[in-house]
Amino acid sequence: MTQEEAQNQIESLRREIERHDRLYYIEAKPEISDRDYDRLYRKLQDLEAGFPELRSPHSPTARVGGAPLADFTQVQHRVKMLSLDNTYSEAELRQFFRRLQRSLNQDRVRVLIEPKIDGVAVSVTYRDSVFTSGATRGDGSTGDDITANLRTIHSLPLRLPPGSPPDLELRGEVYMPTEAFARMNAERAQAGEPAFANPRNATAGALKLLDSSAVARRPLEIVFHGYGWIEGDPPFTSITGFQQLLHRAGLRHSERIWHAEDADSLLVAISELDACRHEFHYLTDGAVVKVDQLDLQDRLGSTSKAPRWAIAYKFQAEQAETRVLSIEVQVGRTGALTPVANLVPVLLAGTTVSRATLHNAEEVRRKDVRSGDVVIIEKAGEIIPAVIMVRFEKRTGDEEPFVMPDRCPVCDTLVVRDPAQVAIRCPNPQCPEVVRRKLSHFASRGAMDIDGLGQVLVDQLVVQKLASRFSDLYALTEEQLSALPRMGPKSAANVIAGLEHSRRQPPWRLLFGLGILHVGSTASQTLLAHFQHLDAVAAASLEELIEVEDIGEVMASSIHAWFGDPSNREEIERLRQAGLTFRLSEAESAQTSAILDGETWVITGTLSRPREFFAALIRAHGGKVTGNVSSNTTWVLVGENPGSKAQKAASLPNPVPTASESDLLKRLGESSD
């Protein structure tokens, strides 16, 4: 192939992939399956590898991130990024509207109302219709150059379609979808990592990373709501017209907007937004109100900090006042020590809250939270209960300051500070609490799924010194188990049967069950799909691990260090002798058919067999399985007593169809026996 032929093919593939990115990420109307998309992507990768001189930073393949930066450079905003004045008061919102009327000398002023996304403000610049740079707001005049990090966001087009203004600078918000945030936090918990407090903190932290390849693994999205400058005269006269331009250019924008021309209808629109905002896939903490016409905006002007033609109305987060009864320190399965506030139970956002994590010692010190304090709590990001502030004026002097222990509260071992994290850890692998949590994790439904081996039994096994490592579980006898309190012969037999069944679990479950720091269930499946055998994962070099898709340097280092520990290698040998499965079966390695190719399934309710059986079945026939229902979901597999996922599937604007277990098996030609 000549270079000219390669250039033509590469350009054609780039445009085709860009079109499919827009259909998938912007319009939610994919035309091809994930597999077909991957084929196009790999073809482009191969061509660019064969003709490296034709590589471009604007290619879709550049989204994976590049080499880490030494530091961020500062960039000057061509047009200052102003903040918005804000209010929590409807009375002040009416005053704002009256000021508009007086300043413009007209009774009716058309305003646009859109959701205020709780994200991180950024500017994005296109030159000759190509994405060239991006920056944070910073102080409004100068921000950090985060071009490499923004390039990893799939909903940000790297090129604009024909007909778009070629040179412009846009303003938007980078955010993390709520479902993706919950999924990421669950995976971090499974991997023994601290959870993020809320989506905005997780987003801000991602954009501050100097390694864009790490940013590429964060589920970030972007939505645009304004512009800084456009070369020449803007091809619109209102914000409504600007929104239409965003739509034509394939740039994500507010999914719902309202218009009003008087204060009463403005408050009605904000009330409607408040009622439906929980249906959005991002968190909204208020409404942004803007004068729609650009010429009227020019007449109103701006102060040094904020435009006079716009205001943010902030929704009140539901808060509650309660008292801290005590602060205790929990020890996790990785040895991490986490301070937790025990509270006088209080109703908050529909649930009773009696405990709230304090994250780490630095957080407790910063907020000066003490036992006995009266505190204000809210669900941070409306998800996680958090202590917002201490009511210092209510202190009596009897409150007790919190001091992080220098020894493990369970085994009295001197703690160590993790140099890579804020975490303080107990380094004793035989700490009873660490052992309990490791064994519970190993036996959990998401890992080895050992029926009958719950937390109470694990506690007894540790106390009676019958189990201190994973392999000890497989040496248990019915006689030993029957002798334990509240364990009769039948219960003991059930546990032994559960252990026997777990020997046949796929090796990715074993890898996940080992509890290696940073390694969740998704990463475990990825690793076994790549290496096929647990021994190959254990023997892989650091470089080989990093080369695996979605396995970054931090995770790879953790895996390499774990398998490099002689005591861990000995435990692997004991598990091998116990008859556990180390190699993927041929059925697990091969795809049975493409019947479900391009389909995304969610599983809910109680089924005749474990959910993972049906998840593996769906994957074997070309489908994908995700944890949450969205507009991209194709089917929901529903068992008995389905939960909120089935309700959400039915409530979407385009309801997601449901299938029973027998429907799926019949479609796949599988036996229901």
Side-chain angles (χ1 to χ4, degrees), residues 526-545:
T526 299
L527 285 161
L528 263 299
H530 180 86
F531 288 104
Q532 300 289 300
H533 200 295
L534 188 62
D535 286 343
V537 178
S541 67
L542 186 61
E543 293 73 20
E544 289 171 330
L545 289 167

Side-chain angles (χ1 to χ4, degrees), residues 16-34 37 247 252-253 598 600 630-634 653-654:
E16 187 174 2
I17 291 171
E18 287 165 0
R19 187 176 75 85
H20 288 304
D21 280 343
R22 173 176 175 172
L23 289 169
Y24 185 90
Y25 292 103
I26 309 298
E27 300 181 19
K29 297 176 181 177
E31 288 183 351
I32 61 175
S33 69
D34 289 348
Y37 179 91
H247 180 74
R252 182 170 281 172
H253 52 85
T600 299
S630 70
S631 59
N632 293 323
T633 305
T634 312
N654 294 314

Side-chain angles (χ1 to χ4, degrees), residues 389-572:
M389 60 175 291
V390 175
R391 295 291 297 271
F392 294 110
E393 71 277 10
K394 293 193 175 185
R395 277 190 172 165
T396 64
D398 296 328
E399 294 78 15
E400 297 180 14
F402 171 76
V403 178
M404 197 72 170
D406 57 6
R407 290 183 173 273
C408 173
V410 177
C411 69
D412 202 39
T413 301
L414 276 172
V415 300
V416 296
R417 181 176 294 276
D418 189 330
Q421 298 179 326
V422 182
I424 295 173
R425 299 185 188 277
C426 170
N428 177 15
Q430 295 305 312
C431 171
E433 189 61 23
V434 172
V435 171
R436 284 189 187 95
R437 291 182 177 270
K438 282 186 174 181
L439 292 179
S440 293
H441 171 72
F442 184 83
S444 68
R445 191 172 181 180
M448 297 301 285
D449 193 19
I450 303 174
D451 191 32
L453 192 56
Q455 184 66 59
V456 173
L457 179 54
V458 167
D459 289 348
Q460 293 184 66
L461 293 174
V462 174
V463 170
Q464 297 296 326
K465 300 188 185 306
L466 291 174
S468 63
R469 56 195 180 198
F470 309 129
S471 56
D472 290 340
L473 299 173
Y474 296 95
L476 293 170
T477 66
E478 288 190 33
E479 291 73 23
Q480 289 174 316
L481 293 170
S482 298
L484 295 173
R486 297 184 296 279
M487 283 291 290
K490 185 175 181 180
S491 296
N494 287 339
V495 173
I496 294 299
L499 285 163
E500 185 61 32
H501 177 265
S502 73
R503 298 177 204 267
R504 300 187 297 274
Q505 291 285 20
W508 71 261
R509 282 181 172 273
L510 173 55
L511 177 59
F512 175 46
L514 296 175
I516 302 172
L517 186 63
H518 306 306
V519 181
S521 61
T522 300
S524 299
Q525 293 177 62
T526 299
L527 285 161
L528 263 299
H530 180 86
F531 288 104
Q532 300 289 300
H533 200 295
L534 188 62
D535 286 343
V537 178
S541 67
L542 186 61
E543 293 73 20
E544 289 171 330
L545 289 167
I546 293 173
E547 288 176 0
V548 180
E549 185 178 5
D550 295 330
I551 306 299
E553 187 172 344
V554 172
M555 191 188 302
S557 298
S558 180
I559 296 166
H560 193 257
W562 195 94
F563 283 108
D565 186 317
S567 63
N568 290 335
R569 290 201 301 271
E570 290 175 9
E571 177 63 0
I572 289 295

Side-chain angles (χ1 to χ4, degrees), residues 597-612:
D597 202 2
E599 296 184 7
T600 299
W601 288 68
V602 170
I603 303 174
T604 184
T606 303
L607 300 160
S608 65
R609 282 177 274 193
R611 287 189 184 183
E612 185 52 41

Side-chain angles (χ1 to χ4, degrees), residues 1 51 104 126 139 144 154 300 355 512 520 527 533 647:
M1 182 184 298
F51 294 85
L104 297 172
Y126 287 88
D139 63 4
D144 290 331
H154 284 271
L300 291 163
R355 290 164 66 82
F512 175 46
L527 285 161
H533 200 295
Q647 297 173 0

